Amino acid sequence: MKYRSRTEITVLILEAANGGATKTKIMYKSFLSYAQLKEYFTMLIENALLEYEDGTQKYRTTEKGLRLLKIYNQIEELIPSTINTSNKDIF
């Protein structure tokens, strides 16, 4: 697997939690260890991008998190795919 930025991992977590998901489901969908997932959950919850629902015992992407996903996807569309590949293709 290629190197992933913190932003890409954050986006994978928010997409996995969209609509509600358990820790295990999010962990598998974002390809993270439990220790890594705990670190990201702390950051995402503190920044109000992810919330925990006691009744369903699931994590859900907040409205703020959904806005971040929308903006990320818009930016991704604007950037040519050659930027996301290795530099050898450019030179």
Side-chain angles (χ1 to χ4, degrees):
M1 182 173 279
K2 72 175 183 83
Y3 173 80
R4 299 179 297 167
S5 70
R6 290 184 63 84
T7 305
E8 289 172 313
I9 294 170
T10 298
V11 166
L12 286 173
I13 293 170
L14 293 176
E15 286 175 344
N18 194 5
T22 62
K23 268 187 187 179
T24 305
K25 186 174 180 181
I26 296 168
M27 187 173 73
Y28 286 119
K29 283 189 169 189
S30 56
F31 305 103
L32 294 172
S33 69
Y34 182 71
Q36 290 170 314
L37 187 70
K38 283 186 356 181
E39 181 183 327
Y40 278 94
F41 270 15
T42 301
M43 182 268 301
L44 292 170
I45 291 170
E46 284 176 359
N47 288 294
L49 299 170
L50 193 69
E51 64 186 1
Y52 180 72
E53 296 179 338
D54 283 324
T56 61
Q57 297 183 342
K58 291 185 178 183
Y59 290 86
R60 183 177 304 278
T61 305
T62 63
E63 286 297 319
K64 184 177 178 182
L66 293 173
R67 284 195 310 270
L68 177 85
L69 285 175
K70 183 178 177 183
I71 291 167
Y72 178 84
N73 289 327
Q74 288 172 344
I75 291 170
E76 193 176 54
E77 288 176 10
L78 296 173
I79 298 173
S81 60
T82 56
I83 292 175
N84 295 328
T85 60
S86 65
N87 289 337
K88 68 180 181 181
D89 294 338
I90 297 172
F91 297 107

